[in-house]
Amino acid sequence: MPKSVTKVFGILTSGGDAPGLNAAIRGVARTAIEIYGMRAVGFENGYRGLMENRARVLQPPEFSGILAQGGTILGTSREKPFKDKIGAYGSDSPSAVDAIKENYRKNGLDCLVVLGGNGTNTTGARLAEEGLNVIGLPKTIDNDIVETDITFGFHTALCVATDAIDRLHSTASSHNRVMVIEVMGHKAGWLALYSGVAGGGDVILLPEIPYDIKTIARHLEDRSRHGKTFSIVVVAEGALSREEAMMDKKTFKKSRAEMSGSIGYRVAREIEAETGMESRVTVLGYLQRGGTPVAFDRVLASQFGTAAANMLALGDYGKMVALQDNRLVGVPLAKVANRIKSVPLDHRMLETARDVGTCLGD
Ligand code: F6P
């Protein structure tokens, strides 16, 4: 058996779930346990389980048959331990962070492996500052984690969204309608952009490019003049208008609180008002996160997982596993923390979208 610096590690999944989490858990645990002889302690429901010491030693049979399963066998939550400064469980109780440190010690951990998105890896970075050994893995359907070319979960969501756009085409065509489809992505428009290009969306709206409804209306009317009887509009849930982009945070929040329905509904209302074209809305929601991961995500998550186990063996802590130019690397968690990977305005996929005649709302 090869030597390993890490003897015992903890593992948790945190934040919104994403297809590929189980494949990643399996990748880490199988390699760590069966190749290096480590002991794996799983914490339930993300950082909450670590705060409350809901832990179990993971045994190899648990990883059989989970590669293709959606969700996470460990459960997840959006718990943010650094939000609770003191007394997470009443003023006399230790802070969430103290509880985490105590449970890390109690379980004899040499390192904690955290699988999650921006919030999870940012918390991981802060725990590393507090003296814990941490390794992160990049998971999110939003693909908005910096320092990695791709995150696992993204491709599955992309396939679901593309399939939905394909299906909307026939009904849009039968009824001569504008079909608005809202996909996930609050802060970054990767999913809207890629599914919009893959599904042949006529308009794609991203948080990175504030839209002008008049530009969209002109584009749709132009299509209609050229004999196109229907149109597909792909909207990221974080899309916003030019007017909104100029608002301060407070005014923006207030105007959104007063908005009826999500952004997809507003865009449909605006299109109807501007063009008179009959419009309908589909909000894809959690279908994008549920279900079995596509082959690409299984492979990517397995690679990330096994790479994390090799990092555990080397004692290469304080890093997030990442894919850069097709190479698996470890990047310092501090470089990932508190950052979002938006779609750069000179990204080649934006160019592709424009080249095939898609309106990006600007
Ligand atoms: O995981 C990221 C994400 O899918 C976002 O695109 C979305 O806004 C968010 O999760 C919603 O998740 P929840 O309702 O679970 O907080």
Side-chain angles (χ1 to χ4, degrees):
M1 197 166 267
K3 279 217 165 78
S4 173
V5 173
T6 305
K7 306 290 179 221
V8 185
F9 69 97
I11 182 165
L12 59 83
T13 55
S14 170
D17 68 346
L21 274 170
N22 286 327
I25 294 170
R26 173 179 174 271
V28 180
R30 278 219 164 141
T31 313
I33 298 171
E34 284 167 24
I35 308 273
Y36 293 106
M38 293 179 221
R39 180 180 160 98
V41 180
F43 292 92
E44 278 171 30
N45 299 332
Y47 287 110
R48 190 177 302 156
L50 183 55
M51 284 154 57
E52 295 172 357
N53 201 23
R54 273 185 282 122
R56 68 175 190 272
V57 173
L58 301 176
Q59 303 291 356
E62 287 207 61
F63 315 119
S64 288
I66 67 167
L67 175 64
Q69 256 178 40
T72 158
I73 59 163
L74 292 173
T76 187
S77 69
R78 290 202 179 272
E79 191 71 60
K80 290 194 174 81
F82 284 91
K83 277 221 160 138
D84 310 304
K85 296 264 180 318
I86 40 160
Y89 303 103
S91 52
D92 294 338
S93 69
S95 77
V97 178
D98 289 340
I100 284 178
K101 286 177 164 172
E102 175 61 12
N103 291 330
Y104 181 96
R105 195 194 55 73
K106 251 194 215 159
N107 285 286
L109 305 185
D110 299 311
C111 183
L112 176 69
V113 178
V114 298
L115 284 65
N118 286 309
T120 305
N121 283 290
T122 299
T123 299
R126 296 193 63 180
L127 289 174
E129 280 170 20
E130 294 280 329
L132 305 192
N133 294 324
V134 182
I135 292 175
L137 271 79
K139 160 248 65 168
T140 166
I141 67 159
D142 296 339
N143 192 34
D144 61 353
I145 303 182
V146 293
E147 298 292 333
T148 186
D149 295 340
I150 190 124
T151 59
F152 64 87
F154 175 66
H155 262 263
T156 305
L158 173 58
C159 290
V160 172
T162 304
D163 180 57
I165 297 170
D166 288 348
R167 286 172 183 279
L168 286 175
H169 270 82
S170 63
T171 174
S173 158
S174 307
H175 288 266
N176 306 319
R177 281 173 173 158
V178 174
M179 284 292 183
V180 175
I181 174 164
E182 184 184 301
V183 301
M184 280 186 167
H186 260 304
K187 297 186 178 134
W190 296 102
L191 194 50
L193 177 61
Y194 276 66
S195 63
V197 169
D202 304 300
V203 177
I204 303 176
L205 304 180
L206 318 175
E208 291 86 349
I209 305 179
Y211 72 82
D212 176 1
I213 193 63
K214 298 232 181 294
T215 308
I216 297 169
R218 273 200 307 275
H219 185 77
L220 297 177
E221 284 163 350
D222 206 41
R223 278 177 54 77
S224 163
R225 266 194 299 280
H226 284 87
K228 311 277 187 186
T229 59
F230 69 92
S231 291
I232 305 284
V233 179
V234 183
V235 181
E237 64 184 334
L240 75 174
S241 66
R242 277 192 186 161
E243 296 73 34
E244 287 175 312
M246 316 240 271
M247 291 174 183
D248 59 60
K249 230 178 169 177
K250 205 171 149 204
T251 319
F252 177 72
K253 263 195 160 174
K254 187 166 174 281
S255 104
R256 278 302 167 99
E258 287 162 1
M259 184 170 90
S260 156
S262 56
I263 185 67
Y265 286 93
R266 191 184 77 194
V267 168
R269 283 195 298 274
E270 290 174 329
I271 289 173
E272 279 197 342
E274 286 288 329
T275 66
M277 292 173 179
E278 190 180 26
S279 306
R280 290 289 188 274
V281 185
T282 303
V283 178
L284 212 44
Y286 296 93
L287 288 172
Q288 295 159 100
R289 282 195 348 210
T292 184
V294 296
F296 185 93
D297 278 331
R298 296 182 202 182
V299 170
L300 183 66
S302 297
Q303 281 183 306
F304 281 156
T306 55
N310 290 325
M311 284 161 69
L312 283 169
L314 292 171
D316 193 9
Y317 305 137
K319 293 183 179 170
M320 183 189 79
V321 186
L323 192 74
Q324 291 181 351
D325 298 327
N326 241 354
R327 284 177 41 247
L328 287 164
V329 295
V331 294
L333 279 165
K335 272 180 100 173
V336 176
N338 296 308
R339 291 173 65 202
I340 300 270
K341 185 179 73 182
S342 305
V343 178
L345 293 180
D346 60 353
H347 195 272
R348 67 186 184 285
M349 196 57 73
L350 292 173
E351 224 173 279
T352 304
R354 292 190 203 277
D355 285 349
V356 295
T358 305
C359 167
L360 298 177
D362 54 345

